[in-house]
Amino acid sequence: DTPDKEDYVDVLIVGAGPAGLMLANWLSRCGVKARIVDKRGSKVFNGQADGLQCRTLEIFDSFDFAHRAWREANHMLEICLWNPDKNGRLQRSDRIPDTIPGISRFQQVVLHQGRIERFFLDSIKEHSDIRVERGVLPTSFDFDEAKAGNFEDYPICVKLRTLAEEESTPQQRQQHQKSSDGRQTVVEDGLFRSNLVADDTEDLIQATEAKETPSQVEHIKAKFLVGCDGAHSWVRRQVGFSLEGSSTDYIWGVLDIVPITDFPDIRHRCAIHSADAGSLMVIPRENKLVRLYIQLQATDCQKNGSKADRSWITPEIILRSAQRIVHPYKLDYAYCDWWTAYQIGQRVSDKFSQSDRVFLAGDAVHTHSPKAGQGMNVSMQDTYNLGWKLAHVINGLSEPSILQTYESERKQIAQELIAFDHRFSRLFSGRPAKDIMDEEGVSMEEFKRAFEKGNEFASGIAVNYAASILVAKVTGVTEQGNNAIISKPELATKIDIGKRIPSFKVLNHADARPWHLQELLKSNGRWRVIVFPGRLTESQNTERFERLGASLGRSDSFIRQFTPPDKPIDSVIEVLTVHSGSRRDIELLDLPEAFHPHHGDMGWDYWKVFVDEESYHEGHGQAYANYGIDQNRGVSVIIRPDQYVSWVGEVDDYEQMSRFFASFMKQQAAGNHAL
Ligand code: FAD
């Protein structure tokens, strides 16, 4: 007998959907030893999620692949609302912008999940040796709580089995269709991933365990385990967390088709409420496709079988429902790319982490209806929140206490998401009110207001993390007295502590190239101190700026204390400057060296100082005005590695900055920093 293999890893990720891939992507940039396994033999190729919100695109841009999604995707600019008029005939009642103008430099786009997974896979490959191990199933879990307090230790043991090909490829119903040029194609049935279908994990585990000659077995010892294994999460069951919430009676069908129709707004996102045949949402997609979310009528179920019995759901049944809703317009198709059906429910897990060693993310901790295009976005944003924190702890830069903020920050978002989805789905699934006295029906004015409000939430930009060790929201003198880290939000009235920093164009001082500020905040694990010293031709501004420069440049500055001696001085905390005076009045090399460090053989760093000035070709970003900063006083801002604002204070308040970092960062050995 060959003994089972054994491996030690920092992080084991179970599930390679959007949440797992985002995490692997973060870890690939931060030099963490991680493995990622998925029970399925292949990635998603079509169907599933498709909406990318603007915050998600900002995040993709911080990883350098937003341009791929932006170029390939269909851009969604306008939503049309369709309702019955007083005679019950369908009419277009309103048009609203899809993304609230000015909220981000990106707007919502749609591109199917398979492409998004591809971008992640390419990015992970470019930055590391991490590869998704497919057809690999965890079959047992052991957690030694006694070892959990020592973060050098490996308290988790997971047994992995490699599945045979037929085990890792679920059965799907095959349907054939004939295209207009006479070719036969197979329609992809997405029901096997729908919540109408039972999960196969336990059956697979039993089948593989019962095998006489076991498939390959490996024992993984891990410091951290992250369950990104979807709504039926196996990891969630191992730690015994439960999803709380309920499901509704509404069943919705989804068709990805190339439509043949006379409906005039088929290339707009539309919310259509029919008088009495239910509702439909139109999502125009890439490659001439259109996704239709169609409410299936209770009568469809009664005629065709119980809800739990999914065999009655076919693309034809879903299409017939759609035809009734868009009547008198015609709707048909010759090509269907994918279809599925799901039951609306809203659930959120009671806990997101066990002893800060086992974490859950994505659909494993929150499930809801897909119509608001949230699941994939929020799932990726869960692990975007977690990834850098894990990397900092594993790399010995931060105390493990920062890991507690994962649950406190993301559970709050999941609860907000569930509440939002509950309201949105009720309004969407409800019958339109006939008149003002019709209390059971949904008022279309209310629906429009909810849609507009919902768009802000759905964009992901509204996320506002609560006060914590990483978010200094205490202002003024408080009961916490001198121990609290005090922020001064009045110095930047349009920067919200706890939210991601908005982006405006600034010019590089050294070469006049315009950059969006967010483009400077790459997701590479670095903290940033952004100094806005105001006009550097004013003496009081220059004094403050030079005072800060002198403190940051000291051999015992907090930057030096928290940066490993063998790493470049800007690798843990990077200092960026945006001044508001003219480039022409100031020489970069006259500024204190802390603001443009010298990297030995690589010379001066010309990519740290920027100016709020008019560019030659792209206008004026008006960053100071847009951030609400007084040019005569300025402000310093601390930004987390995930672009959220931690602290806002006086330009030269070195002491508060230093105390902020000291509250969770680890002192590194003294020495000369690598250049
Ligand atoms: P999943 O994508 O479910 O990935 C989980 C992964 O874990 C899978 O690859 C699975 O094979 C693997 N796995 C599961 N169990 C195990 C196990 N025991 N061992 C190993 N691996 C395992 N969201 C949006 O944001 N926008 C949309 O427009 C949108 N539209 C949608 C439309 C439809 C029809 C559906 C069904 C969903 C839609 N969603 C949308 C939701 C979105 O698909 C999910 O929220 C998102 O995929 C969740 O990502 P995840 O990584 O958490 O989980």
Side-chain angles (χ1 to χ4, degrees), residues 15 17-19 38-40 49-51 113 138 193 201 228-229 234 291 293 338 362-363 370 373-377 379:
D38 197 293
K39 69 178 178 179
R40 298 284 180 237
D50 58 4
Q113 189 171 326
R193 286 184 76 149
T201 300
C228 301
D229 48 349
W234 173 84
R291 168 165 290 184
Y293 284 107
W338 182 82
D363 277 10
Q374 289 294 288
M376 174 169 65
N377 291 273
S379 298

PDB file of all heavy atoms in Angstrom, residues 15 17-19 38-40 49-51 113 138 193 201 228-229 234 291 293 338 362-363 370 373-377 379, ligand 1:
ATOM      1  N   GLY A  15     -13.885  25.273  -3.258  1.00  0.00           N
ATOM      2  CA  GLY A  15     -14.838  25.909  -4.180  1.00  0.00           C
ATOM      3  C   GLY A  15     -14.145  26.941  -5.048  1.00  0.00           C
ATOM      4  O   GLY A  15     -13.502  27.866  -4.529  1.00  0.00           O
ATOM      5  N   GLY A  17     -15.675  28.911  -7.474  1.00  0.00           N
ATOM      6  CA  GLY A  17     -16.597  29.846  -8.120  1.00  0.00           C
ATOM      7  C   GLY A  17     -16.015  31.248  -7.940  1.00  0.00           C
ATOM      8  O   GLY A  17     -14.841  31.403  -7.580  1.00  0.00           O
ATOM      9  N   PRO A  18     -16.842  32.261  -8.165  1.00  0.00           N
ATOM     10  CA  PRO A  18     -16.322  33.630  -8.070  1.00  0.00           C
ATOM     11  C   PRO A  18     -15.670  33.949  -6.713  1.00  0.00           C
ATOM     12  O   PRO A  18     -14.622  34.603  -6.674  1.00  0.00           O
ATOM     13  CB  PRO A  18     -17.573  34.487  -8.295  1.00  0.00           C
ATOM     14  CG  PRO A  18     -18.477  33.623  -9.102  1.00  0.00           C
ATOM     15  CD  PRO A  18     -18.237  32.220  -8.666  1.00  0.00           C
ATOM     16  N   ALA A  19     -16.250  33.479  -5.610  1.00  0.00           N
ATOM     17  CA  ALA A  19     -15.684  33.818  -4.288  1.00  0.00           C
ATOM     18  C   ALA A  19     -14.316  33.155  -4.104  1.00  0.00           C
ATOM     19  O   ALA A  19     -13.345  33.804  -3.690  1.00  0.00           O
ATOM     20  CB  ALA A  19     -16.639  33.385  -3.177  1.00  0.00           C
ATOM     21  N   ASP A  38     -12.042  22.090  -6.309  1.00  0.00           N
ATOM     22  CA  ASP A  38     -13.463  22.164  -6.677  1.00  0.00           C
ATOM     23  C   ASP A  38     -13.921  20.767  -7.084  1.00  0.00           C
ATOM     24  O   ASP A  38     -13.217  20.056  -7.805  1.00  0.00           O
ATOM     25  CB  ASP A  38     -13.672  23.147  -7.831  1.00  0.00           C
ATOM     26  CG  ASP A  38     -15.131  23.556  -7.963  1.00  0.00           C
ATOM     27  OD1 ASP A  38     -15.978  22.703  -8.310  1.00  0.00           O
ATOM     28  OD2 ASP A  38     -15.426  24.744  -7.704  1.00  0.00           O
ATOM     29  N   LYS A  39     -15.095  20.400  -6.627  1.00  0.00           N
ATOM     30  CA  LYS A  39     -15.568  19.036  -6.913  1.00  0.00           C
ATOM     31  C   LYS A  39     -15.927  18.843  -8.385  1.00  0.00           C
ATOM     32  O   LYS A  39     -15.952  17.720  -8.872  1.00  0.00           O
ATOM     33  CB  LYS A  39     -16.753  18.686  -6.016  1.00  0.00           C
ATOM     34  CG  LYS A  39     -18.020  19.455  -6.321  1.00  0.00           C
ATOM     35  CD  LYS A  39     -19.174  19.030  -5.414  1.00  0.00           C
ATOM     36  CE  LYS A  39     -20.420  19.841  -5.716  1.00  0.00           C
ATOM     37  NZ  LYS A  39     -21.571  19.482  -4.916  1.00  0.00           N
ATOM     38  N   ARG A  40     -16.219  19.915  -9.079  1.00  0.00           N
ATOM     39  CA  ARG A  40     -16.596  19.788 -10.489  1.00  0.00           C
ATOM     40  C   ARG A  40     -15.353  19.682 -11.380  1.00  0.00           C
ATOM     41  O   ARG A  40     -14.321  20.295 -11.095  1.00  0.00           O
ATOM     42  CB  ARG A  40     -17.407  21.001 -10.950  1.00  0.00           C
ATOM     43  CG  ARG A  40     -18.715  21.172 -10.211  1.00  0.00           C
ATOM     44  CD  ARG A  40     -19.771  20.195 -10.684  1.00  0.00           C
ATOM     45  NE  ARG A  40     -21.011  20.396  -9.957  1.00  0.00           N
ATOM     46  CZ  ARG A  40     -21.630  19.442  -9.258  1.00  0.00           C
ATOM     47  NH1 ARG A  40     -21.141  18.225  -9.172  1.00  0.00           N
ATOM     48  NH2 ARG A  40     -22.773  19.704  -8.650  1.00  0.00           N
ATOM     49  N   ALA A  49     -24.344  33.623 -13.358  1.00  0.00           N
ATOM     50  CA  ALA A  49     -24.375  35.064 -13.111  1.00  0.00           C
ATOM     51  C   ALA A  49     -23.826  35.837 -14.305  1.00  0.00           C
ATOM     52  O   ALA A  49     -22.995  35.322 -15.046  1.00  0.00           O
ATOM     53  CB  ALA A  49     -23.541  35.373 -11.877  1.00  0.00           C
ATOM     54  N   ASP A  50     -24.282  37.077 -14.439  1.00  0.00           N
ATOM     55  CA  ASP A  50     -23.762  37.866 -15.554  1.00  0.00           C
ATOM     56  C   ASP A  50     -23.587  39.346 -15.239  1.00  0.00           C
ATOM     57  O   ASP A  50     -22.893  40.044 -15.962  1.00  0.00           O
ATOM     58  CB  ASP A  50     -24.647  37.704 -16.795  1.00  0.00           C
ATOM     59  CG  ASP A  50     -26.081  38.112 -16.545  1.00  0.00           C
ATOM     60  OD1 ASP A  50     -26.369  38.589 -15.433  1.00  0.00           O
ATOM     61  OD2 ASP A  50     -26.918  37.958 -17.447  1.00  0.00           O
ATOM     62  N   GLY A  51     -24.197  39.859 -14.184  1.00  0.00           N
ATOM     63  CA  GLY A  51     -24.132  41.306 -13.922  1.00  0.00           C
ATOM     64  C   GLY A  51     -22.873  41.674 -13.142  1.00  0.00           C
ATOM     65  O   GLY A  51     -22.565  41.051 -12.143  1.00  0.00           O
ATOM     66  N   GLN A 113     -20.591  34.513 -16.235  1.00  0.00           N
ATOM     67  CA  GLN A 113     -19.683  34.099 -15.154  1.00  0.00           C
ATOM     68  C   GLN A 113     -18.452  33.340 -15.661  1.00  0.00           C
ATOM     69  O   GLN A 113     -17.363  33.478 -15.105  1.00  0.00           O
ATOM     70  CB  GLN A 113     -20.496  33.216 -14.200  1.00  0.00           C
ATOM     71  CG  GLN A 113     -19.811  32.869 -12.923  1.00  0.00           C
ATOM     72  CD  GLN A 113     -20.768  32.185 -11.957  1.00  0.00           C
ATOM     73  OE1 GLN A 113     -21.961  32.504 -11.937  1.00  0.00           O
ATOM     74  NE2 GLN A 113     -20.266  31.279 -11.160  1.00  0.00           N
ATOM     75  N   PRO A 138     -13.340  17.378  -0.813  1.00  0.00           N
ATOM     76  CA  PRO A 138     -12.986  17.164   0.588  1.00  0.00           C
ATOM     77  C   PRO A 138     -13.972  16.175   1.212  1.00  0.00           C
ATOM     78  O   PRO A 138     -15.184  16.311   1.017  1.00  0.00           O
ATOM     79  CB  PRO A 138     -13.137  18.545   1.228  1.00  0.00           C
ATOM     80  CG  PRO A 138     -13.725  19.435   0.215  1.00  0.00           C
ATOM     81  CD  PRO A 138     -13.944  18.692  -1.047  1.00  0.00           C
ATOM     82  N   ARG A 193     -27.414  23.267 -11.162  1.00  0.00           N
ATOM     83  CA  ARG A 193     -26.827  24.157 -10.169  1.00  0.00           C
ATOM     84  C   ARG A 193     -27.898  25.006  -9.485  1.00  0.00           C
ATOM     85  O   ARG A 193     -27.589  25.931  -8.745  1.00  0.00           O
ATOM     86  CB  ARG A 193     -25.792  25.073 -10.811  1.00  0.00           C
ATOM     87  CG  ARG A 193     -24.514  24.339 -11.139  1.00  0.00           C
ATOM     88  CD  ARG A 193     -23.471  25.263 -11.669  1.00  0.00           C
ATOM     89  NE  ARG A 193     -22.857  26.064 -10.597  1.00  0.00           N
ATOM     90  CZ  ARG A 193     -21.602  26.477 -10.632  1.00  0.00           C
ATOM     91  NH1 ARG A 193     -20.831  26.186 -11.623  1.00  0.00           N
ATOM     92  NH2 ARG A 193     -21.123  27.202  -9.647  1.00  0.00           N
ATOM     93  N   THR A 201     -23.166  16.411  -2.925  1.00  0.00           N
ATOM     94  CA  THR A 201     -21.900  16.241  -2.207  1.00  0.00           C
ATOM     95  C   THR A 201     -21.889  14.988  -1.339  1.00  0.00           C
ATOM     96  O   THR A 201     -20.951  14.192  -1.393  1.00  0.00           O
ATOM     97  CB  THR A 201     -21.596  17.493  -1.357  1.00  0.00           C
ATOM     98  OG1 THR A 201     -21.512  18.607  -2.226  1.00  0.00           O
ATOM     99  CG2 THR A 201     -20.281  17.342  -0.604  1.00  0.00           C
ATOM    100  N   CYS A 228     -15.772  28.369   0.112  1.00  0.00           N
ATOM    101  CA  CYS A 228     -16.402  29.178  -0.953  1.00  0.00           C
ATOM    102  C   CYS A 228     -17.193  28.203  -1.802  1.00  0.00           C
ATOM    103  O   CYS A 228     -17.163  28.261  -3.030  1.00  0.00           O
ATOM    104  CB  CYS A 228     -15.335  29.866  -1.799  1.00  0.00           C
ATOM    105  SG  CYS A 228     -14.261  30.939  -0.854  1.00  0.00           S
ATOM    106  N   ASP A 229     -17.858  27.247  -1.136  1.00  0.00           N
ATOM    107  CA  ASP A 229     -18.441  26.114  -1.851  1.00  0.00           C
ATOM    108  C   ASP A 229     -19.952  26.232  -2.026  1.00  0.00           C
ATOM    109  O   ASP A 229     -20.662  25.232  -2.028  1.00  0.00           O
ATOM    110  CB  ASP A 229     -18.038  24.791  -1.187  1.00  0.00           C
ATOM    111  CG  ASP A 229     -18.218  24.770   0.318  1.00  0.00           C
ATOM    112  OD1 ASP A 229     -18.454  25.845   0.888  1.00  0.00           O
ATOM    113  OD2 ASP A 229     -18.131  23.700   0.925  1.00  0.00           O
ATOM    114  N   TRP A 234     -20.437  22.462   2.019  1.00  0.00           N
ATOM    115  CA  TRP A 234     -19.972  21.351   2.852  1.00  0.00           C
ATOM    116  C   TRP A 234     -19.199  21.907   4.052  1.00  0.00           C
ATOM    117  O   TRP A 234     -19.369  21.439   5.172  1.00  0.00           O
ATOM    118  CB  TRP A 234     -19.085  20.436   2.001  1.00  0.00           C
ATOM    119  CG  TRP A 234     -18.410  19.339   2.747  1.00  0.00           C
ATOM    120  CD1 TRP A 234     -18.939  18.122   3.064  1.00  0.00           C
ATOM    121  CD2 TRP A 234     -17.070  19.334   3.268  1.00  0.00           C
ATOM    122  NE1 TRP A 234     -18.028  17.364   3.751  1.00  0.00           N
ATOM    123  CE2 TRP A 234     -16.867  18.081   3.886  1.00  0.00           C
ATOM    124  CE3 TRP A 234     -16.025  20.266   3.276  1.00  0.00           C
ATOM    125  CZ2 TRP A 234     -15.656  17.735   4.503  1.00  0.00           C
ATOM    126  CZ3 TRP A 234     -14.827  19.929   3.871  1.00  0.00           C
ATOM    127  CH2 TRP A 234     -14.656  18.676   4.486  1.00  0.00           C
ATOM    128  N   ARG A 291     -30.975  37.867 -21.725  1.00  0.00           N
ATOM    129  CA  ARG A 291     -31.457  37.009 -20.634  1.00  0.00           C
ATOM    130  C   ARG A 291     -32.844  37.471 -20.217  1.00  0.00           C
ATOM    131  O   ARG A 291     -33.088  38.665 -20.044  1.00  0.00           O
ATOM    132  CB  ARG A 291     -30.514  37.094 -19.441  1.00  0.00           C
ATOM    133  CG  ARG A 291     -31.126  36.450 -18.196  1.00  0.00           C
ATOM    134  CD  ARG A 291     -30.114  36.201 -17.134  1.00  0.00           C
ATOM    135  NE  ARG A 291     -29.211  35.139 -17.554  1.00  0.00           N
ATOM    136  CZ  ARG A 291     -28.248  34.652 -16.773  1.00  0.00           C
ATOM    137  NH1 ARG A 291     -28.063  35.143 -15.577  1.00  0.00           N
ATOM    138  NH2 ARG A 291     -27.462  33.693 -17.203  1.00  0.00           N
ATOM    139  N   TYR A 293     -35.615  36.895 -17.198  1.00  0.00           N
ATOM    140  CA  TYR A 293     -36.025  36.319 -15.914  1.00  0.00           C
ATOM    141  C   TYR A 293     -37.545  36.331 -15.915  1.00  0.00           C
ATOM    142  O   TYR A 293     -38.147  37.405 -16.032  1.00  0.00           O
ATOM    143  CB  TYR A 293     -35.538  37.170 -14.746  1.00  0.00           C
ATOM    144  CG  TYR A 293     -34.068  37.024 -14.448  1.00  0.00           C
ATOM    145  CD1 TYR A 293     -33.173  38.029 -14.768  1.00  0.00           C
ATOM    146  CD2 TYR A 293     -33.585  35.888 -13.804  1.00  0.00           C
ATOM    147  CE1 TYR A 293     -31.813  37.905 -14.477  1.00  0.00           C
ATOM    148  CE2 TYR A 293     -32.243  35.755 -13.517  1.00  0.00           C
ATOM    149  CZ  TYR A 293     -31.360  36.758 -13.851  1.00  0.00           C
ATOM    150  OH  TYR A 293     -30.031  36.627 -13.562  1.00  0.00           O
ATOM    151  N   TRP A 338     -28.710  28.795 -22.790  1.00  0.00           N
ATOM    152  CA  TRP A 338     -28.720  28.222 -21.431  1.00  0.00           C
ATOM    153  C   TRP A 338     -30.068  28.544 -20.812  1.00  0.00           C
ATOM    154  O   TRP A 338     -30.700  29.522 -21.168  1.00  0.00           O
ATOM    155  CB  TRP A 338     -27.594  28.888 -20.631  1.00  0.00           C
ATOM    156  CG  TRP A 338     -27.382  28.425 -19.229  1.00  0.00           C
ATOM    157  CD1 TRP A 338     -26.683  27.327 -18.845  1.00  0.00           C
ATOM    158  CD2 TRP A 338     -27.819  29.067 -18.018  1.00  0.00           C
ATOM    159  NE1 TRP A 338     -26.654  27.243 -17.476  1.00  0.00           N
ATOM    160  CE2 TRP A 338     -27.337  28.298 -16.944  1.00  0.00           C
ATOM    161  CE3 TRP A 338     -28.572  30.219 -17.729  1.00  0.00           C
ATOM    162  CZ2 TRP A 338     -27.576  28.626 -15.617  1.00  0.00           C
ATOM    163  CZ3 TRP A 338     -28.806  30.553 -16.403  1.00  0.00           C
ATOM    164  CH2 TRP A 338     -28.316  29.756 -15.373  1.00  0.00           C
ATOM    165  N   GLY A 362     -19.400  34.086   0.240  1.00  0.00           N
ATOM    166  CA  GLY A 362     -20.231  33.944  -0.956  1.00  0.00           C
ATOM    167  C   GLY A 362     -21.560  33.270  -0.658  1.00  0.00           C
ATOM    168  O   GLY A 362     -22.121  33.395   0.447  1.00  0.00           O
ATOM    169  N   ASP A 363     -22.045  32.510  -1.631  1.00  0.00           N
ATOM    170  CA  ASP A 363     -23.343  31.846  -1.476  1.00  0.00           C
ATOM    171  C   ASP A 363     -23.353  30.903  -0.272  1.00  0.00           C
ATOM    172  O   ASP A 363     -24.419  30.529   0.210  1.00  0.00           O
ATOM    173  CB  ASP A 363     -23.677  31.035  -2.733  1.00  0.00           C
ATOM    174  CG  ASP A 363     -24.290  31.900  -3.832  1.00  0.00           C
ATOM    175  OD1 ASP A 363     -24.273  33.135  -3.687  1.00  0.00           O
ATOM    176  OD2 ASP A 363     -24.786  31.342  -4.827  1.00  0.00           O
ATOM    177  N   PRO A 370     -31.496  36.091  -7.896  1.00  0.00           N
ATOM    178  CA  PRO A 370     -30.410  36.632  -8.737  1.00  0.00           C
ATOM    179  C   PRO A 370     -30.777  37.897  -9.505  1.00  0.00           C
ATOM    180  O   PRO A 370     -29.921  38.483 -10.131  1.00  0.00           O
ATOM    181  CB  PRO A 370     -30.135  35.472  -9.701  1.00  0.00           C
ATOM    182  CG  PRO A 370     -31.377  34.687  -9.779  1.00  0.00           C
ATOM    183  CD  PRO A 370     -32.128  34.903  -8.501  1.00  0.00           C
ATOM    184  N   GLY A 373     -28.805  41.065  -9.607  1.00  0.00           N
ATOM    185  CA  GLY A 373     -27.411  40.911 -10.027  1.00  0.00           C
ATOM    186  C   GLY A 373     -26.434  41.097  -8.886  1.00  0.00           C
ATOM    187  O   GLY A 373     -25.416  41.780  -9.024  1.00  0.00           O
ATOM    188  N   GLN A 374     -26.701  40.503  -7.741  1.00  0.00           N
ATOM    189  CA  GLN A 374     -25.876  40.770  -6.571  1.00  0.00           C
ATOM    190  C   GLN A 374     -24.964  39.620  -6.141  1.00  0.00           C
ATOM    191  O   GLN A 374     -23.873  39.833  -5.643  1.00  0.00           O
ATOM    192  CB  GLN A 374     -26.771  41.131  -5.376  1.00  0.00           C
ATOM    193  CG  GLN A 374     -27.416  42.475  -5.526  1.00  0.00           C
ATOM    194  CD  GLN A 374     -26.387  43.578  -5.490  1.00  0.00           C
ATOM    195  OE1 GLN A 374     -25.823  43.879  -4.462  1.00  0.00           O
ATOM    196  NE2 GLN A 374     -26.097  44.144  -6.645  1.00  0.00           N
ATOM    197  N   GLY A 375     -25.460  38.371  -6.320  1.00  0.00           N
ATOM    198  CA  GLY A 375     -24.787  37.232  -5.687  1.00  0.00           C
ATOM    199  C   GLY A 375     -23.310  37.141  -6.021  1.00  0.00           C
ATOM    200  O   GLY A 375     -22.459  37.062  -5.136  1.00  0.00           O
ATOM    201  N   MET A 376     -22.998  37.153  -7.287  1.00  0.00           N
ATOM    202  CA  MET A 376     -21.597  37.004  -7.679  1.00  0.00           C
ATOM    203  C   MET A 376     -20.784  38.204  -7.194  1.00  0.00           C
ATOM    204  O   MET A 376     -19.663  38.046  -6.704  1.00  0.00           O
ATOM    205  CB  MET A 376     -21.510  36.896  -9.206  1.00  0.00           C
ATOM    206  CG  MET A 376     -20.105  36.874  -9.709  1.00  0.00           C
ATOM    207  SD  MET A 376     -20.010  36.422 -11.437  1.00  0.00           S
ATOM    208  CE  MET A 376     -20.840  37.769 -12.255  1.00  0.00           C
ATOM    209  N   ASN A 377     -21.365  39.388  -7.309  1.00  0.00           N
ATOM    210  CA  ASN A 377     -20.640  40.587  -6.893  1.00  0.00           C
ATOM    211  C   ASN A 377     -20.355  40.578  -5.397  1.00  0.00           C
ATOM    212  O   ASN A 377     -19.220  40.777  -4.969  1.00  0.00           O
ATOM    213  CB  ASN A 377     -21.463  41.829  -7.253  1.00  0.00           C
ATOM    214  CG  ASN A 377     -21.528  42.049  -8.752  1.00  0.00           C
ATOM    215  OD1 ASN A 377     -20.669  42.669  -9.321  1.00  0.00           O
ATOM    216  ND2 ASN A 377     -22.551  41.496  -9.398  1.00  0.00           N
ATOM    217  N   SER A 379     -20.382  38.047  -3.423  1.00  0.00           N
ATOM    218  CA  SER A 379     -19.532  36.899  -3.089  1.00  0.00           C
ATOM    219  C   SER A 379     -18.068  37.237  -3.323  1.00  0.00           C
ATOM    220  O   SER A 379     -17.199  36.941  -2.499  1.00  0.00           O
ATOM    221  CB  SER A 379     -19.923  35.686  -3.938  1.00  0.00           C
ATOM    222  OG  SER A 379     -21.249  35.322  -3.656  1.00  0.00           O
TER     223      SER A 379
HETATM  224  P1  FAD B   1     -20.654  29.250  -6.555  1.00  0.00           P
HETATM  225  O1  FAD B   1     -20.591  30.047  -7.795  1.00  0.00           O
HETATM  226  O2  FAD B   1     -21.836  28.415  -6.311  1.00  0.00           O
HETATM  227  O3  FAD B   1     -19.362  28.353  -6.546  1.00  0.00           O
HETATM  228  C1  FAD B   1     -19.192  27.320  -5.631  1.00  0.00           C
HETATM  229  C2  FAD B   1     -18.167  26.358  -6.184  1.00  0.00           C
HETATM  230  O4  FAD B   1     -17.900  25.395  -5.191  1.00  0.00           O
HETATM  231  C3  FAD B   1     -18.667  25.616  -7.412  1.00  0.00           C
HETATM  232  O5  FAD B   1     -17.690  25.669  -8.431  1.00  0.00           O
HETATM  233  C4  FAD B   1     -18.901  24.196  -6.908  1.00  0.00           C
HETATM  234  O6  FAD B   1     -18.609  23.214  -7.893  1.00  0.00           O
HETATM  235  C5  FAD B   1     -17.920  24.118  -5.759  1.00  0.00           C
HETATM  236  N1  FAD B   1     -18.333  23.184  -4.714  1.00  0.00           N
HETATM  237  C6  FAD B   1     -19.537  23.070  -4.133  1.00  0.00           C
HETATM  238  N2  FAD B   1     -19.515  22.132  -3.180  1.00  0.00           N
HETATM  239  C7  FAD B   1     -18.258  21.646  -3.133  1.00  0.00           C
HETATM  240  C8  FAD B   1     -17.603  20.676  -2.359  1.00  0.00           C
HETATM  241  N3  FAD B   1     -18.254  20.000  -1.415  1.00  0.00           N
HETATM  242  N4  FAD B   1     -16.310  20.427  -2.593  1.00  0.00           N
HETATM  243  C9  FAD B   1     -15.619  21.097  -3.565  1.00  0.00           C
HETATM  244  N5  FAD B   1     -16.189  22.035  -4.327  1.00  0.00           N
HETATM  245  C10 FAD B   1     -17.500  22.317  -4.112  1.00  0.00           C
HETATM  246  N6  FAD B   1     -25.037  36.987  -9.286  1.00  0.00           N
HETATM  247  C11 FAD B   1     -24.676  38.215  -9.710  1.00  0.00           C
HETATM  248  O7  FAD B   1     -23.883  38.889  -9.032  1.00  0.00           O
HETATM  249  N7  FAD B   1     -25.165  38.756 -10.841  1.00  0.00           N
HETATM  250  C12 FAD B   1     -26.041  38.089 -11.607  1.00  0.00           C
HETATM  251  O8  FAD B   1     -26.445  38.599 -12.627  1.00  0.00           O
HETATM  252  C13 FAD B   1     -26.462  36.796 -11.197  1.00  0.00           C
HETATM  253  N8  FAD B   1     -27.310  36.090 -11.942  1.00  0.00           N
HETATM  254  C14 FAD B   1     -27.573  34.806 -11.595  1.00  0.00           C
HETATM  255  C15 FAD B   1     -28.396  34.096 -12.404  1.00  0.00           C
HETATM  256  C16 FAD B   1     -28.699  32.793 -12.088  1.00  0.00           C
HETATM  257  C17 FAD B   1     -29.637  32.087 -12.983  1.00  0.00           C
HETATM  258  C18 FAD B   1     -28.144  32.167 -10.953  1.00  0.00           C
HETATM  259  C19 FAD B   1     -28.455  30.732 -10.641  1.00  0.00           C
HETATM  260  C20 FAD B   1     -27.321  32.886 -10.129  1.00  0.00           C
HETATM  261  C21 FAD B   1     -27.032  34.208 -10.432  1.00  0.00           C
HETATM  262  N9  FAD B   1     -26.222  34.988  -9.634  1.00  0.00           N
HETATM  263  C22 FAD B   1     -25.911  36.257 -10.003  1.00  0.00           C
HETATM  264  C23 FAD B   1     -25.695  34.445  -8.405  1.00  0.00           C
HETATM  265  C24 FAD B   1     -24.296  33.935  -8.568  1.00  0.00           C
HETATM  266  O9  FAD B   1     -24.204  32.929  -9.546  1.00  0.00           O
HETATM  267  C25 FAD B   1     -23.809  33.375  -7.258  1.00  0.00           C
HETATM  268  O10 FAD B   1     -24.156  34.237  -6.210  1.00  0.00           O
HETATM  269  C26 FAD B   1     -22.309  33.229  -7.288  1.00  0.00           C
HETATM  270  O11 FAD B   1     -21.927  32.293  -8.271  1.00  0.00           O
HETATM  271  C27 FAD B   1     -21.793  32.778  -5.928  1.00  0.00           C
HETATM  272  O12 FAD B   1     -20.426  32.557  -6.004  1.00  0.00           O
HETATM  273  P2  FAD B   1     -19.748  31.532  -5.025  1.00  0.00           P
HETATM  274  O13 FAD B   1     -18.322  31.473  -5.471  1.00  0.00           O
HETATM  275  O14 FAD B   1     -20.040  31.924  -3.631  1.00  0.00           O
HETATM  276  O15 FAD B   1     -20.484  30.142  -5.244  1.00  0.00           O
END
